[in-house]
Amino acid sequence: YDQRCQIYILKDRGDRSSSIATILKVHHSTISRELKRNKGQRGYRHQPAQEKAFLRKNSQPNKKNDSSNSYQY
């Protein structure tokens, strides 16, 4: 959540994706993907971005613990 807040502040300040990536010490594609994935009608907002990420994470089945793929002998 903290990184999303920082992204929001830096983007609102006018920083480019590449400079935000440098500041946060992540790859520039990570920032670009985050901004693209979570852009709404009013631009990037950190709170809705966090909510979307939470929903994405919890809507996908956990492949490691998915018992439907295990064999029964």
Side-chain angles (χ1 to χ4, degrees):
Y1 181 76
D2 292 338
Q3 266 194 344
R4 288 191 172 97
C5 291
Q6 290 176 317
I7 292 170
Y8 172 74
I9 291 166
L10 295 169
K11 189 68 179 160
D12 192 49
R13 181 172 91 169
D15 289 18
R16 301 180 77 145
S17 297
S18 57
S19 64
I20 294 171
T22 302
I23 292 166
L24 298 180
K25 297 180 180 156
V26 297
H27 196 270
H28 66 87
S29 66
T30 303
I31 301 300
S32 297
R33 189 171 40 250
E34 173 70 14
L35 293 172
K36 183 178 179 182
R37 183 182 285 161
N38 295 303
K39 186 177 182 183
Q41 289 179 328
R42 298 185 313 169
Y44 182 82
R45 300 280 189 251
H46 61 282
Q47 185 64 37
Q50 182 69 22
E51 292 168 4
K52 285 181 182 180
F54 179 79
L55 291 173
R56 275 193 304 272
K57 180 180 178 184
N58 291 317
S59 68
Q60 296 177 357
N62 187 350
K63 295 184 194 285
K64 287 184 180 179
N65 295 329
D66 188 3
S67 61
S68 65
N69 291 335
S70 64
Y71 293 101
Q72 298 205 1
Y73 295 98

